[in-house]
């Protein structure tokens, strides 16, 4: 579990674009380099971008193979299921744990609170000040409401497709013991997670930039990119749920006359529904906040919330008040679904 967590963090860092691009300063990481080589206003170098893309894919693949090599042929099981009684901490240890927990939450949530506070300030020449105002939210409602709607629409479309396709892929990988196909599907579904969004966007531009499949500049290429990048979340959530549903439950339904389609719909789907909701929610939220592939594929009609925030953060237009109000809209779009899902399915774990 620790090795898998380290692997997910490492691949996430290798693929991250927004954080180093906005606050990285002179630190030029690979996804940012690829962006500049492919879309830089000072001159592009597609061959350099292609070579860098191959290096990025190679690094991600090497990390995946290393993880699989370490875990190959090993099995980890619980030796028992006896519940361990909680042990009371000493007053000093309680204070230390409380302080560490408080510091962690402070680091995580203070930026959110600062953004929410800034959205009510008056911004003049990119400098916040008093009095408090709702002007930023008025601009959001009158000038930037379309990016909010575009973000919701694209996220909803890609999430529905990702959950449907991901569930079918998971079912084949878990329930059909194909010697080659099942392991191959489990490995292939993780590849989109490993590929940085800039690399995926470059590939989609090259493939879909000419007739008869000219999608570049349309909403369809964004929906396709979102689906490809986020389908691993839906697939892995469905896989985890399927592993908890014993095959004999499906066999029992088949033995009393149910067809395979009826069994999948009335038995399996209902039992794995919490997992599907978890995967779908995570897919939707990750799509809603996607920046790297969006920045290279969006057009004037497909500007999303993340693009509005990015452009303002990079000084394009000098509308930090609008960026703050849009960021608050994005945070609400993340927190509300999480709250509703956890309230309806308390056992669902959504990262």
């Amino acid at each position: 579990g620790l090795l898998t967590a380290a692997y997910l963090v490492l691949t996430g860092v290798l693929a991250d674009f927004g954080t180093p691009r906005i606050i990285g300063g002179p630190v030029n990481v690979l996804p940012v380099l690829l962006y500049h080589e492919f879309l830089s206003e000072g001159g592009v170098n597609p061959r350099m971008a292609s070579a860098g893309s191959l290096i990025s894919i190679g690094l991600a693949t090497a990390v995946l193979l290393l993880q699989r090599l370490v875990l190959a042929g090993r099995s980890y099981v619980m030796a028992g299921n006896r519940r361990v009684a909680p042990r009371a901490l000493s007053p000093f240890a309680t204070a230390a744990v409380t302080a560490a927990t408080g510091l962690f939450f402070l680091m995580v949530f203070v930026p959110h609170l600062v953004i929410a506070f800034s959205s009510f300030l008056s911004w003049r020449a990119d400098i916040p000040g008093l009095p408090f105002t709702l002007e930023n939210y008025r601009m959001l409602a009158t000038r930037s409401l379309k990016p909010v709607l575009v973000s919701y629409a694209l996220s909803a479309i890609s999430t529905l497709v990702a959950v449907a396709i991901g569930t079918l892929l998971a079912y084949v990988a878990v329930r059909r013991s194909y010697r080659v196909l099942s392991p191959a599907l489990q490995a292939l579904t993780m590849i989109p997670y490993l590929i940085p969004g800039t690399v995926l966007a470059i590939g989609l531009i090259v493939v879909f930039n000419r007739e008869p499949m000219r999608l570049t500049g349309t909403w369809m290429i964004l929906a396709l990119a979102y689906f490809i990048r986020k389908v691993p979340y839906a697939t892995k959530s469905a896989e985890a749920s399927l592993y908890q549903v014993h095959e004999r439950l499906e066999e029992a339904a088949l033995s009393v006359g149910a067809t395979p389609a009826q069994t999948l719909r009335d038995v399996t789907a209902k039992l794995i529904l919490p997992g599907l909701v978890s995967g779908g929610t995570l897919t939707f939220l990750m799509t809603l906040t996607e920046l790297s592939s969006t920045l290279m594929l969006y057009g004037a009609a497909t500007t999303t919330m993340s693009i509005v925030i990015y452009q303002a953060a990079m000084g394009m237009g000098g509308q930090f008040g609008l960026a703050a109000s849009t960021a608050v809209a994005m945070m609400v779009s993340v927190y509300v679904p999480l709250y509703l899902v956890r309230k309806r399915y308390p056992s669902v774990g959504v990262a």
Side-chain angles (χ1 to χ4, degrees), residues 7 10-15 29-31 33-34 51-67 191 193-196 199:
Y7 153 74
L10 178 60
T11 52
V13 171
L14 288 176
V29 298
L30 190 55
L33 174 65
L34 298 180
S53 299
L54 290 178
I55 293 174
S56 179
I57 295 174
L59 288 173
T61 304
V63 174
L64 175 62
L65 292 178
L66 178 62
Q67 187 231 18
I191 290 180
Y193 176 80
L194 304 175
I195 300 177
V199 175

Side-chain angles (χ1 to χ4, degrees), residues 112-130:
H112 296 197
L113 297 175
V114 170
I115 291 174
F117 180 76
S118 301
S119 67
F120 293 100
L121 296 177
S122 300
W123 289 80
R124 298 179 181 86
D126 298 337
I127 299 175
L130 297 176

Side-chain angles (χ1 to χ4, degrees), residues 153-171 189-190 192-193 200 222-239 242 272 275-288:
L154 291 174
S155 299
I157 292 171
S158 58
T159 297
L160 290 174
V161 177
V163 170
I165 301 300
T167 302
L168 293 177
L169 292 174
Y171 190 84
T189 52
M190 285 303 297
Y193 176 80
L200 176 63
L222 275 173
L224 180 62
Y226 293 160
F227 161 72
I228 293 174
R229 288 212 75 199
K230 309 307 178 184
V231 72
Y233 297 104
T235 304
K236 290 303 179 181
S237 295
E239 277 187 19
L242 283 170
I272 67 173
L276 298 184
V277 172
S278 174
T281 304
L282 187 57
T283 303
F284 179 83
L285 299 182
M286 297 299 292
T287 303
L288 201 67

Side-chain angles (χ1 to χ4, degrees), residues 209-295:
N209 200 34
R210 58 180 63 89
E211 301 296 343
M213 293 293 292
R214 188 181 182 88
L215 301 180
T216 304
T218 68
W219 66 269
M220 290 183 287
I221 197 170
L222 275 173
L224 180 62
Y226 293 160
F227 161 72
I228 293 174
R229 288 212 75 199
K230 309 307 178 184
V231 72
Y233 297 104
T235 304
K236 290 303 179 181
S237 295
E239 277 187 19
S241 299
L242 283 170
Y243 278 122
Q244 299 179 38
V245 178
H246 203 284
E247 294 182 13
R248 292 181 181 178
L249 297 174
E250 298 173 351
E251 294 171 357
L254 294 172
S255 68
V256 295
T259 64
Q262 290 174 328
T263 302
L264 179 62
R265 181 193 64 198
D266 298 332
V267 178
T268 309
K270 291 182 178 180
L271 291 174
I272 67 173
L273 182 60
L276 298 184
V277 172
S278 174
T281 304
L282 187 57
T283 303
F284 179 83
L285 299 182
M286 297 299 292
T287 303
L288 201 67
T289 57
E290 171 67 18
L291 174 63
S292 57
S293 58
T294 308
L295 188 60

Side-chain angles (χ1 to χ4, degrees), residues 20-77:
R21 178 70 179 92
I22 295 176
I23 63 174
V27 179
N28 201 13
V29 298
L30 190 55
V32 177
L33 174 65
L34 298 180
Y35 170 77
H36 285 305
E37 294 296 335
F38 199 77
L39 290 179
S40 174
E41 296 180 358
V44 298
N45 189 347
R47 288 179 294 179
M48 173 72 80
S50 300
S53 299
L54 290 178
I55 293 174
S56 179
I57 295 174
L59 288 173
T61 304
V63 174
L64 175 62
L65 292 178
L66 178 62
Q67 187 231 18
R68 295 296 176 90
L69 180 64
V70 172
L71 296 180
R74 300 184 182 184
S75 176
Y76 300 90
V77 297

